[in-house]
Amino acid sequence: MARPKPARRTTASITTAVVLLAGAALGAAPAATAAPGTAPAGTTAQGLTFHDIPGSGGVTLKGNVFTPAGAAAGAEHPLIVFPTSWAMPQIEYLAQAQKLADSGYVVVSYTSRGFWLSGGKIEVAGPPDIADASAVIDWALEHTSADPDRIGMGGVSYGAGISLLAAGHDPRIKAVAALSGWADLIDSIYSGRTQHLQAAALLGGLGLVTGRPGDELTRTLKDFLGSNLEKEPEMIAWGKKRSPATYLDRINANGAAIMMGNAWGDTIFPPNQYASFYDKLTGPKRLEFRPGDHATAEATGLLGLPNDTWTSTRRWFDRYLKGERNGIDSELPVQLASRTDKGYEGYPDWKSVGAVKNRIPLDGTRKVWANVDSGANGGIAILSNALDQFLKLPPTVSVPLLPRTFASVWQSERYASAQRIRGTSALHTTVTATKSSGTLVAYLYDVGPLGIGKLVSNAPYTFHGQTPGRPFPVDLELYSTAYDVPAGHRLALVIDTVDPLYIEHNPTGAQLTFSSPGTDPSHLSVPLREK
């Protein structure tokens, strides 16, 4: 049964979607002026050749090829295949492809099916997209000097997801660099059983502007944004089919060396699902997390500027496709950059991150009215965490001024020394609702002496089918992060019921009560780096 849809909430959701669609159209316009793929097949522009590449099912993909300059006749070179990001044309990787070709690689980039001038419809990394990746490899082996024993794949966002999926279906792939991608599509845009409104609307809008959404995508997006709970099992099955985590056994059996990179504040594909997937990989692997939002960590590299993510990518391919002993495989495989400090920290595995737990009790009983934004929120998709990355300006709020009618607040004592948060904070509490459905959003803030809170992390949680008036436990993982809380500051946990990032499911007039039973005390577990 579909959830209730109060007019005010529906109007707000539609307004947000319209704004994002308009922004998507404006953001895509500059790319359209580049006229991607208009060079005749096989022609050369500044050493770059453009080609029509046959994909699966008779679809033609627009692609380009870089080959090493001055290569000896008959010599074979390692191959790297880059599928484009969502809504991006085939010129996306030109700067990095040129650098890789200069160091001895054949590099093939192609516009993913359904976008721009490539044929077909947008399948959202479905079986046709996976088959396309293998078809492009087949074409490259036939038409370039690519070495069949040294094949890698990689890309940003959509290209990352397709590359990971392809590694589970094509054993010829020996190395992968998956940047700002996803391992679990459901845990990315439906975490906490809550629709990530801005993320889904942004992707849907860009797909409409730059491509041709398939019928399945159109139907699924409509059901998703429309909160059609009757279709929830179908939507989850649709997402699992497109999740690399579903094919983990195949990926491990094929044994590709996999490097994964993401940003702490990624509002499209949050970091938790990447870290969980990384833990389960059994082959050579590396995990890198940096400040930023979706694809902002790689953006400067796509423009040809110095970029840590792309430097690691080249080192990874050099090690596992060229066999170079460059030391990347002997470094600690989990590399983290704090949002508030410079430099990187290495860990042997993800479970070693945040090995010390600071337990903050959530005492007392708090009651909030639903359907009103308290002022605490996660910001705006892409923009807010990019400001945090480049200007150290995360979303802020005055914690003392938060209306306790609409927000529950707990605070720690002031810390005598800096608290270096690393990893995933976990909330455990008991909730009593006056309605059977509802949504809550938890926020963790770094609160300074003046009461101004800087957002450290957040996450949503939605429930359905609860008995009104009956308490039930809630366990919620906040999005993983690396953040240093200065000495003299305190941490604050805020819970409210509305955030523009998400679709909320609170019926009109709903109330939520948060309590801490003696037999099951509520608390927030905050992971800290060992001193």
Side-chain angles (χ1 to χ4, degrees), residues 5-12:
K5 300 171 183 169
R8 178 160 49 80
R9 177 169 61 243
T10 303
T11 301

Side-chain angles (χ1 to χ4, degrees), residues 22-229:
L26 292 173
T33 62
T38 54
T43 62
T44 303
Q46 298 179 346
L48 168 65
T49 57
F50 291 83
H51 301 270
D52 287 343
I53 301 176
S56 64
V59 165
T60 297
L61 306 172
K62 294 295 181 177
N64 59 67
V65 178
F66 275 103
T67 54
E76 292 185 332
H77 304 88
L79 167 69
I80 296 174
V81 175
F82 284 137
T84 57
S85 302
W86 185 271
M88 291 295 288
Q90 59 166 298
I91 60 173
E92 177 182 10
Y93 301 108
L94 290 188
Q96 292 302 323
Q98 179 67 73
K99 292 181 179 181
L100 287 164
D102 289 344
S103 64
Y105 291 92
V106 172
V107 184
V108 178
S109 301
Y110 69 94
T111 304
S112 300
R113 72 163 51 216
F115 289 104
W116 296 98
L117 299 181
S118 280
K121 294 187 176 182
I122 301 172
E123 301 287 347
V124 195
D129 293 292
I130 301 171
D132 283 345
S134 292
V136 171
I137 292 173
D138 293 340
W139 179 89
L141 293 176
E142 182 178 352
H143 294 89
T144 73
S145 58
D147 183 344
D149 296 322
R150 295 183 293 169
I151 297 173
M153 281 196 70
V156 177
S157 184
Y158 197 46
I162 291 174
S163 296
L164 284 174
L165 287 162
H169 291 78
D170 194 327
R172 296 175 296 180
I173 299 169
K174 306 302 182 187
V176 170
L179 313 177
S180 288
W182 77 92
D184 188 325
L185 192 57
I186 298 301
D187 200 31
S188 293
I189 62 174
Y190 195 48
S191 68
R193 206 180 177 187
T194 307
Q195 299 99 320
H196 294 209
L197 171 62
Q198 291 187 18
L202 182 59
L203 293 173
L206 286 171
L208 285 171
V209 171
T210 63
R212 300 166 301 282
D215 294 340
E216 191 175 15
L217 169 58
T218 300
R219 183 173 61 253
T220 300
L221 193 60
K222 179 181 178 182
D223 289 335
F224 184 79
L225 292 176
S227 302
N228 188 350
L229 292 179

